[in-house]
Structure formats: C-alpha cells, structure tokens
Amino acid sequence: MASTWLITGATSGFGRLVTERALATGAHVIAVGRRRDRLAELVEQAPAGQVTTVELDLTAPDAQAVLADTVRAAGGLDVLVNNAGYGLFGSVEQISAEEARAIIDTNVLANLTVLRATLPALRASQGRVLQTSSLIGQFAWPSSGLYAASKGAVELISEALAHELTPTGVKVTIIEPGTFGTEFATNLQVVLPNDVYAPTVGKFLNDFSALPPEAFGDPNAVADAIMTVSTLEEPPLRLAVGADAVENIRASLRSRLAELDRWESLSLTPARQAA
C-alpha cells in the first residue's frame, strides 16, 4: 500500500525536491504551500490523483483544522516533512517586535500547528516526523539571532517530542542543512545594520553575499538525505547535511564543552566549594 506524506513548504526548495522524490516512490503527497501557481504545477506533473494540494498560510487561525481534515480525508498519514519557514537576518537590537513576532509565528508556532494536526494520524501509523532546522539551529552567527532562535526552538521542541513519542513508535529526526543553493538565500529578509553593528553584522552579511556559487551545496543532497532517513528503522535524532554543517556544528559543540570545562569550578555550589 502506498504511503501518504504531508510536506509543508512543498512549492520550492527542499520541500519541492522531497515532494518530487516522494511522488516518484508512488506515495500520495499532501503538498502544502501558499503559491497557487506552483501547487498547480505539482498537480500537472504528478500522476493523476497522487497529489492533494492545500493552499494555506500556516499561521492562519484555521490552519490546524484544515490540515487535520485533509489528513482524515486522505485516510491517514505516514510521513510528515515539517519544512515551511523563512529567514530573517539583522542585528538583535534592530529587528523590530513585529519582525521578531512574525518569524516566531511562522518558524515555530506554525510548526507546532502542523504537529498538532498530524500527530494523531502519525501515531496510528507509527510514522515519521522530519523537522527541517538549520546548522544555525545549534549556534548563532552575527545577524542570525532571531532566525537561529526560531530554529533552536524547533530543535528543542523536536528533541522533547522524540522522547515523548518513544512508546508510540513514531520516530523524529531534525534535519540540519548547511548552506545550499535554494531560493532561501534570495528570499530571506535582511535588516541592514547601522554604524554600531557594521563591524559585526555588516561584515558577516557582506562576506555572505560575496560567497561564490560553488560555496552553495546542491540541494538535492538534502532531499536525498531526507528520503534516506525516512526509511531507516532507527533514524538519528539530528542529521547535519553538508560539510559546512558538520564542521560548524562540531566546532560549536567543542567550544561549548571547552567553556563548560573552563568555568566548571564557578558552577559548583557554595556547599561543595566549602567542602
């Protein structure tokens, strides 16, 4: 029997590539996105009846009900690729309350909306949850504070969820892509730094914009990794994809361990220090 997938952000980037691969396996895909023209393209390109499109803003008040109804109509769900989101770069101080609220609404709260709508069906099928994060869900660069915070929230929510779902048979994996050549880089929102943050935020943004094309990996590698993980009997909780993701996450973890070791004595309680 063909599996059923629900993929958010299905009209571009990693979501589109995974959608195409899932369809190629014969899966029924519930493709969720906001662009009607691109959803129509998916229907045109897929075998008849293999795609159910949902044109939806995941921050809308009725999003959970719409998704839950769609999953019920499909007869269940085997794999969730919780992929929708966008990037926001700028100094922590200069990002407005409205901009901060918007990225948390989309990258975190909408992610939770999708989970609430799909987890009952995923428990019934002992299915898979694939949460798209980023290498900077593990650490932050100058300018990435709010975006990294949104992805860090997804990481910890997903870690807790994995523990909570252990008895049900549902597996959770967090995908942490590095820098890849998708529409993300061209569509992200940027708050340009003032003079105070020009040496840090400004330098980082300038250096990033000057990266050559070969610095951006082939996004097909991420889609392939997602497809592979979706079939593993014991998938990892976290999967860094791309050499830059592995290198930078490893460096961050080593730095944090070194700092923990360096300041361990200061972390001791007064009673232990007196002893």
Side-chain angles (χ1 to χ4, degrees), residues 175-190:
I175 307 296
E176 301 169 328
T179 306
F180 286 88
T182 68
E183 295 177 32
F184 176 86
T186 55
N187 292 339
L188 61 83
Q189 297 182 20
V190 176

Side-chain angles (χ1 to χ4, degrees), residues 3-50:
S3 60
T4 299
W5 293 49
L6 189 149
I7 302 172
T8 65
T11 57
S12 64
F14 302 136
R16 178 63 177 263
L17 293 173
V18 174
T19 296
E20 292 170 352
R21 282 160 171 74
L23 289 170
T25 70
H28 172 215
V29 175
I30 301 170
V32 183
R34 293 191 297 177
R35 294 190 55 174
R36 182 176 301 178
D37 57 336
R38 293 197 175 182
L39 289 171
E41 286 176 7
L42 287 173
V43 174
E44 291 173 4
Q45 295 169 8
Q50 213 173 315

Side-chain angles (χ1 to χ4, degrees), residues 6 22 29 38 69 72 99 113-114 134 139 144 158 162 174 183 187 193-194 232 239 257 264 271:
L6 189 149
V29 175
R38 293 197 175 182
D69 288 345
R72 277 192 292 271
E99 290 164 328
T113 293
V114 176
S134 167
F139 60 91
S144 77
S158 301
I174 307 158
E183 295 177 32
N187 292 339
N194 58 22
L232 295 179
L239 181 69
L257 284 171
E264 183 177 4

Side-chain angles (χ1 to χ4, degrees), residues 100-111:
R101 190 173 296 111
I103 196 166
I104 297 301
D105 282 348
T106 298
N107 289 8
V108 181
L109 300 183
N111 186 289

Side-chain angles (χ1 to χ4, degrees), residues 40-256:
E41 286 176 7
L42 287 173
V43 174
E44 291 173 4
Q45 295 169 8
Q50 213 173 315
V51 176
T52 298
T53 60
V54 182
E55 183 184 349
L56 182 65
D57 181 346
L58 292 172
T59 66
D62 64 341
Q64 181 176 333
V66 169
L67 293 177
D69 288 345
T70 304
V71 169
R72 277 192 292 271
L77 188 65
D78 300 289
V79 181
L80 166 65
V81 182
N82 211 355
N83 171 72
Y86 71 95
L88 172 64
F89 285 71
S91 70
V92 170
E93 181 182 353
Q94 289 183 269
I95 289 174
S96 69
E98 292 76 17
E99 290 164 328
R101 190 173 296 111
I103 196 166
I104 297 301
D105 282 348
T106 298
N107 289 8
V108 181
L109 300 183
N111 186 289
L112 289 170
T113 293
V114 176
L115 289 172
R116 286 192 295 268
T118 58
L119 281 173
L122 289 166
R123 287 197 302 272
S125 67
Q126 294 188 324
R128 303 300 176 96
V129 176
L130 299 162
Q131 298 268 77
T132 302
S133 178
S134 167
L135 79 164
I136 50 176
Q138 291 263 13
F139 60 91
W141 284 319
S143 82
S144 77
L146 269 295
Y147 177 68
S150 73
K151 291 302 185 180
V154 169
E155 295 250 353
L156 292 178
I157 288 167
S158 301
E159 184 172 343
L161 182 66
H163 293 310
E164 293 163 1
L165 289 173
T166 296
T168 72
V170 177
K171 308 292 187 181
V172 179
T173 297
I174 307 158
I175 307 296
E176 301 169 328
T179 306
F180 286 88
T182 68
E183 295 177 32
F184 176 86
T186 55
N187 292 339
L188 61 83
Q189 297 182 20
V190 176
V191 177
L192 295 177
N194 58 22
D195 291 344
V196 173
Y197 295 107
T200 52
V201 173
K203 182 180 185 306
F204 179 87
L205 293 174
N206 287 336
D207 290 346
F208 185 83
S209 64
L211 289 173
E214 57 268 25
F216 294 83
D218 182 354
N220 286 292
V222 178
D224 289 341
I226 289 173
M227 296 303 296
T228 298
V229 165
S230 73
T231 65
L232 295 179
E233 187 172 338
E234 294 297 332
L237 173 61
R238 288 180 170 86
L239 181 69
V241 186
D244 61 330
V246 173
E247 178 183 349
N248 282 285
I249 291 172
R250 179 179 286 127
S252 174
L253 292 172
R254 285 175 172 166
S255 174
R256 291 172 64 183

